[in-house]
Amino acid sequence: MKFTEAIKLATIRTLKEDKKCLLFGLEITNEGNGFIEKFPNQVFETPVSELSSTGLVVGLASRGFKPIIVYGRIEFALLAFDQILTQAGRWEYMFGGNYSCPAKFRIQIGRQWGNGPQHTANYHSVFMQAVEIDIFIPSTPSEAYNQILYMSKSKNPSVLLEHRYLNLLDEDFKIEKKIKKISTSKVYGNKKDNIVIITYADTLPIALKAKDILEINNIFPTILNLSFFPKNQRISNKDISFINKFKNILLVDSSPYDFGILSGVQSILSLHLQNKNFYKLSSPNIPAPSSPMLMHKYYVNKNNIVNYVCKILKRKNITLSKVSFEESILWPNFSINKYFK
Amino acid sequence: MNKKEILLKALEDMIKIRIIEENISKEFKKNKVLSFLHLSIGQEACATGVAFGTKAQDNFFGNHRSHGHYLAKGGNISRMIYEVFGDNRGCCSGHGGSMHMLDKNVNFLGSVPILGSSLPIASGIAMSEKLKKKNNLTIVFIGDGSAEEGSFYETLNMAGLYKLPLLIVIEDNKYAVESDKFKRKVNGYDFKSIIEKGLKANYNRVDGQDFLKVFDASKKLRKKILKDKSVGVLHLDCLRFSKHSGAEISTKDQKSKYRKNEYFEIIKKDPIKILKQNIIRTGMSLIQIEKIINKLQKKYNKIFYTTFNKINIKKV
Ligand SMILES: Cc1ncc(C[n+]2csc(CCOP(=O)(O)OP(=O)(O)O)c2C)c(N)n1
Ligand SMILES: [Mg+2]
C-alpha cells in the first residue's frame, strides 16, 4: 500500500467508524477522491479561507465532534496558526482542564520537485513548543495509517505532517482491528557498529538506502526514526535510553538543522547522556530552491550519509556512484518491506 | 495612439503571451520538466487590458498565475523563460520558478503564490508610493478563490481607511483548482454590494475575455481611484483554457465533468478571437489581421527558442 493510499484508507475508516468524525478541505469533495460519495453528511468543501475553516473545526471539536481538516501545504496552514496553536493548542490548559479541542490537522509538507521556496518549507519544529498538541510525522504507510486512526480517537488536538516526498513509498502491512498504542519511533539495523543515525520524516528512505550501501561494505549502522512526538514530552525516555547504547550519534535532517527538531533532540540528549559524539547532516540555512538542479544539491543524499558514517567510524572510503538527478528529485518509489524483519 | 493602433498593439501582447506560454507548455511536456506551472492562456485579455488601461509608472503585483501579468507589463521575456525552466539566469536566479515573477525595471514588483498574501503587501506598496508623493496606482491580481481569504476584506477596509491608490483585479475564472464557485460561495453572493455598499470601494465588473472592455474599465477606475483617493476593484469574468496547474491545455480537461459545459464557451470566447472582431470593426479585413498574427507568431516563436535553446534542460 502506498503512503497516500494508507492515508486515504485510514481517513475513510475513521469516517465510517464514527459519525462524529467530519472531514474538511479544499477539493475534498472532488469526484474521484472517494469521500463525498460515501459520506455525504460528513465531508465538507471549504472556501479558500484557511483561517476561518480552521476556526470552525476548532469550534466543532470543542463541542464533541472529531473534525479533520486537510491542508495541501504547510504554507496554507500558516494562515490558520492562530486557530491551531493559540486556540486548539491552548484551550485545555487555559480553561482549567476538561475543555479540549481535539481537532485534527492533516498538513502536507516538505520537498517536492520544482515547488520552490513558498511551497516546500519544513516547518516541523514550530509545532513542538505547542505543548498541548500531539505531533505525528509518519515516515511509512503503516505509520501514517495507524497514526490517523490513533489520533482520530485521541482527546488531544493533533497535527499530522504528511511529507509529500513519501507519497509513493510502498509497504504491505497488516491492518489491525484496534489501535491502542503507537510507538514514538522505529529502529532499523542490527546495532553492530557503534553509530546510531537519528532521523525522521522524509529522510528515512534516504537513510535506508545509505544503510544498504554501508552493509554491503560491512558497516552496520542503526537507524532510529522518530515519528510520534507526544504532547508534554516530545522525545520518550525509551528512545533516550536506546540512543544511550551508542557512542556516535549522527543526526540527519531534511530541514535546516539550526533550531530544528534534531537540534532540539540533540540538546535534550546532551542533558541526559554523557560522553557522546554528535554529528549532523542537514539542508543548508536557505529555503529550498525551485530549480531542480539547485534542489539536487540542497537535500542530504544517501552518499552524504555513507561518506560521513565512514569518516566517523574511521573506515576507508567507499567508492560510490553518483546519486542521479532523478533519484534525488523524484519521489522514492519502492517497497520498504524488506527493512521489516 | 488611435483605437486601431491600440488594438493592434494589444493583439501583439496577447499573441506574445499565448505563444510564449504554448511553447513553455510544449517543452515542459516534451522534456518532462519537474516544476510548477500555472498557465494564463485564455485569460490574456485581463492582463493586457489592465496593462493598457494603466500606466508604465503603475506597479503590478501578481499571484501563482502571473506569466501573463509579467509579459503584459513588459517584463523581460528571456529572464522569464529562464526562470520557468529553473535556469539561474532567470528573473529570480532559478530560486523561484514559474510562480515567482519579478522585473523591477518595469514595475512588476513580484508575484507570490500564497493566496491572499499579495493583497496587504500590495496595499503596503501603494502606501509607500503615496508617502513618497508619487501619483500612481498599485495593481494586484488575484483569482476568485483568493477573494475568499479574509485578507481580501481586511485589505479593502484598511486600504480604504488609508485612502491608498490600490486596484485589486479579480480574475474570476470560476474555479479554485477544480472546485467551482458554487461549492465555495453562498448562494447569491454579491460582490457589488459588499464592495460598493459595504466597503465603500469602487467596483466594476466586466467581461474579462474582451480586451476593449477591460481596457476601458481599467482606464476609468484608474482615474477615479487617483481622483477620489479611494480603492478600486475590477472584477473580470474570464475563462481558464488550461488545467489548473501543469502543462496540459487540452479539450479533455476543458470537457471534463467539473467544468460542466464550459468547453463550448471556451470555443466561443477566445480573447484573441474577440479582439480580432474588434479590429475588424476599425476597418481592417480578416485576411490582413491573419497576416499580422502569422508574423507575430513567428516572431515570438523565434524569441522563445532563442532563449530556450540556450538552456541545458538536463542541467537546470
Ligand atoms: C493560502 C493558500 N491556500 C491554498 C493554496 C493552493 N492553491 C493554489 S492555486 C489555488 C486556486 C486558486 O484559485 P484562484 O484564486 O481563483 O486562482 P486561479 O488558480 O483560478 O487563477 C489554490 C487553492 C494556496 N496557494 N495558498
Ligand atoms: Mg479562479
Side-chain angles (χ1 to χ4, degrees):
Chain A
M1 193 188 298
K2 303 260 190 228
F3 191 75
T4 42
E5 206 186 336
I7 290 170
K8 185 169 165 175
L9 290 184
T11 306
I12 286 177
R13 183 166 154 190
T14 59
L15 289 166
K16 198 160 141 189
E17 287 180 358
D18 189 346
K19 293 291 155 215
K20 286 223 153 127
C21 178
L22 309 174
L23 183 63
F24 291 83
L26 196 59
E27 302 272 293
I28 207 86
T29 64
N30 282 7
E31 267 179 63
N33 275 355
F35 295 122
I36 190 77
E37 299 86 347
K38 291 195 187 84
F39 309 101
N41 300 321
Q42 287 168 271
V43 181
F44 299 86
E45 183 77 21
T46 62
V48 189
S49 312
E50 288 82 0
L51 171 59
S52 298
S53 48
T54 307
L56 179 101
V57 156
V58 173
L60 279 162
S62 75
R63 304 302 294 158
F65 282 90
K66 291 174 186 159
I68 303 172
I69 181 162
V70 183
Y71 311 84
R73 294 278 186 318
I74 178 79
E75 285 83 354
F76 314 159
L78 291 179
L79 273 67
F81 259 32
D82 161 47
Q83 293 297 340
I84 300 174
L85 301 185
T86 311
Q87 304 309 332
R90 287 288 190 253
W91 272 39
E92 172 78 353
Y93 181 81
M94 184 186 68
F95 284 125
N98 272 325
Y99 204 161
S100 72
C101 287
K104 315 299 170 192
F105 309 101
R106 270 187 42 205
I107 305 173
Q108 297 182 5
I109 188 170
R111 76 175 97 177
Q112 190 173 349
W113 38 262
N115 276 219
Q118 296 206 345
H119 279 62
T120 54
N122 267 340
Y123 296 134
H124 308 106
S125 58
V126 287
F127 294 102
M128 294 295 158
Q129 291 207 316
V131 289
E132 292 272 282
I133 301 181
D134 278 338
I135 317 291
F136 302 86
I137 315 180
S139 288
T140 66
S142 62
E143 280 168 5
Y145 186 93
N146 292 331
Q147 289 177 353
I148 288 176
L149 288 188
Y150 176 87
M151 77 172 190
S152 70
K153 300 230 175 357
S154 147
K155 291 196 326 298
N156 304 329
S158 310
V159 167
L160 183 90
L161 300 173
E162 300 166 8
H163 269 270
R164 286 178 164 250
Y165 186 68
L166 301 171
N167 277 354
L168 299 182
L169 211 62
D170 203 18
E171 178 190 354
D172 296 324
F173 60 93
K174 208 172 126 234
I175 288 174
E176 308 284 344
K177 273 233 174 72
K178 251 200 171 130
I179 313 293
K180 282 190 228 103
K181 254 188 91 181
I182 52 168
S183 57
T184 54
S185 65
K186 190 158 182 64
V187 175
Y188 302 82
N190 58 14
K191 303 173 214 125
K192 245 186 187 162
D193 274 311
N194 201 350
I195 184 165
V196 60
I197 298 172
I198 305 179
T199 191
Y200 67 101
D202 56 336
T203 307
L204 178 67
I206 295 155
L208 290 173
K209 292 254 164 170
K211 180 168 124 357
D212 285 348
I213 300 173
L214 287 161
E215 284 180 354
I216 293 170
N217 290 278
N218 277 319
I219 301 174
F220 298 92
T222 299
I223 297 169
L224 177 72
N225 189 69
L226 307 171
S227 63
F228 173 31
F229 304 81
K231 68 175 213 173
N232 304 331
Q233 191 180 356
R234 296 298 187 204
I235 180 153
S236 70
N237 295 337
K238 191 174 142 235
D239 287 332
I240 295 175
S241 323
F242 180 79
I243 295 164
N244 196 20
K245 294 183 177 138
F246 300 88
K247 173 86 182 158
N248 297 304
I249 299 169
L250 172 59
L251 308 149
V252 188
D253 204 329
S254 61
S255 318
Y257 171 79
D258 297 4
F259 297 90
I261 284 195
L262 293 185
S263 76
V265 167
Q266 179 182 351
S267 65
I268 290 172
L269 291 177
S270 54
L271 292 176
H272 290 85
L273 311 176
Q274 268 97 48
N275 300 323
K276 300 292 176 192
N277 300 327
F278 286 103
Y279 306 90
K280 67 100 177 166
L281 282 170
S282 74
S283 300
N285 285 340
I286 50 170
S290 175
S291 156
M293 199 54 186
L294 296 174
M295 186 181 153
H296 181 43
K297 296 178 194 146
Y298 180 83
Y299 292 102
V300 177
N301 66 37
K302 63 182 183 192
N303 287 1
N304 305 141
I305 300 177
V306 169
N307 287 332
Y308 209 17
V309 169
C310 289
K311 201 172 142 197
I312 293 166
L313 296 178
K314 302 197 173 65
R315 305 293 256 282
K316 74 173 191 303
N317 276 352
I318 297 171
T319 326
L320 296 165
S321 51
K322 261 194 169 160
V323 175
S324 75
F325 187 66
E326 285 73 18
E327 184 176 344
S328 74
I329 298 300
L330 295 179
W331 292 337
N333 186 353
F334 63 91
S335 163
I336 51 169
N337 289 339
K338 72 164 180 169
Y339 299 101
F340 302 109
K341 282 176 221 138
Chain B
M1 273 202 285
N2 65 27
K3 186 169 174 188
K4 184 167 140 190
E5 285 164 346
I6 290 172
L7 294 182
L8 286 174
K9 181 75 188 61
L11 181 70
E12 165 146 15
D13 279 9
M14 279 164 60
I15 300 278
K16 169 170 83 176
I17 298 169
R18 175 81 47 108
I19 293 293
I20 299 290
E21 280 206 332
E22 278 178 355
N23 283 316
I24 289 173
S25 157
K26 194 166 95 192
E27 294 302 338
F28 253 66
K29 280 196 253 183
K30 203 161 115 191
N31 296 290
K32 303 197 169 64
V33 174
L34 294 170
S35 199
F36 242 132
L37 189 66
H38 300 85
L39 299 170
S40 61
I41 290 179
Q43 301 181 194
E44 294 94 335
C46 301
T48 312
V50 174
F52 275 65
T54 54
K55 302 228 154 129
Q57 70 264 29
D58 296 338
N59 304 309
F60 270 23
F61 202 92
N63 60 358
H64 56 291
R65 197 183 301 286
S66 269
H67 303 159
H69 309 141
Y70 173 97
L71 291 172
K73 189 68 179 155
N76 183 300
I77 304 180
S78 287
R79 297 198 69 199
M80 173 182 137
I81 296 167
Y82 283 133
E83 188 61 40
V84 168
F85 286 94
D87 188 293
N88 62 12
R89 288 166 285 188
C91 56
C92 303
S93 310
H95 296 181
S98 153
M99 298 191 292
H100 308 268
M101 296 281 106
L102 178 70
D103 191 343
K104 288 185 186 168
N105 291 328
V106 295
N107 295 325
F108 190 93
L109 298 187
S111 67
V112 293
I114 304 303
L115 303 177
S117 276
S118 58
L119 290 155
I121 298 172
S123 71
I125 293 172
M127 184 155 182
S128 84
E129 301 287 67
K130 188 180 160 177
L131 292 174
K132 290 177 194 160
K133 305 232 173 335
K134 289 196 195 161
N135 193 35
N136 65 350
L137 222 62
T138 295
I139 296 126
V140 55
F141 291 88
I142 64 166
D144 52 308
S146 312
E148 282 151 23
E149 297 286 6
S151 67
F152 175 68
Y153 307 93
E154 294 177 19
T155 300
L156 270 172
N157 177 49
M158 183 173 63
L161 180 71
Y162 295 154
K163 301 193 188 323
L164 302 180
L166 179 73
L167 173 61
I168 300 172
V169 178
I170 306 174
E171 287 178 84
D172 188 343
N173 58 18
K174 300 199 279 288
Y175 301 100
V177 191
E178 295 185 4
S179 171
D180 80 41
K181 62 179 177 189
F182 302 105
K183 279 177 156 184
R184 309 181 335 253
K185 283 191 166 75
V186 69
N187 190 12
Y189 188 102
D190 183 1
F191 275 102
K192 189 174 161 65
S193 310
I194 296 168
I195 293 166
E196 264 183 9
K197 286 214 186 94
L199 288 156
K200 307 295 175 201
N202 300 297
Y203 174 80
N204 195 1
R205 181 169 190 166
V206 299
D207 180 358
Q209 297 304 99
D210 188 336
F211 164 81
L212 255 186
K213 290 191 178 138
V214 180
F215 169 63
D216 280 339
S218 332
K219 224 166 59 176
K220 281 188 193 130
L221 267 173
R222 182 179 196 278
K223 248 195 191 147
K224 209 154 187 283
I225 291 169
L226 291 176
K227 188 169 145 269
D228 300 352
K229 313 233 170 309
S230 56
V231 181
V233 175
L234 178 60
H235 189 159
L236 304 173
D237 292 295
C238 59
L239 293 161
R240 184 191 83 209
F241 288 10
S242 67
K243 235 175 121 73
H244 165 69
S245 75
E248 193 185 328
I249 319 161
S250 66
T251 48
K252 184 170 160 256
D253 173 64
Q254 291 165 358
K255 285 182 176 172
S256 65
K257 221 167 158 191
Y258 80 88
R259 292 207 191 224
K260 316 231 163 47
N261 284 321
E262 204 171 42
Y263 173 67
F264 300 102
E265 232 188 310
I266 287 174
I267 298 286
K268 236 178 32 211
K269 298 200 69 176
D270 185 326
I272 294 177
K273 203 157 125 188
I274 295 174
L275 183 62
K276 277 198 277 189
Q277 286 153 2
N278 281 327
I279 299 173
I280 288 171
R281 279 189 209 109
T282 67
M284 265 183 116
S285 75
L286 185 61
I287 297 173
Q288 281 172 309
I289 300 170
E290 292 296 354
K291 239 187 182 160
I292 294 173
I293 290 183
N294 208 288
K295 250 196 184 148
L296 289 172
Q297 286 171 335
K298 283 200 183 111
K299 174 177 166 184
Y300 286 103
N301 277 324
K302 195 166 156 210
I303 287 177
F304 175 84
Y305 278 101
T306 307
T307 299
F308 182 74
N309 289 336
K310 290 185 199 146
I311 301 174
N312 184 346
I313 207 83
K314 289 273 167 272
K315 281 265 150 26
V316 291

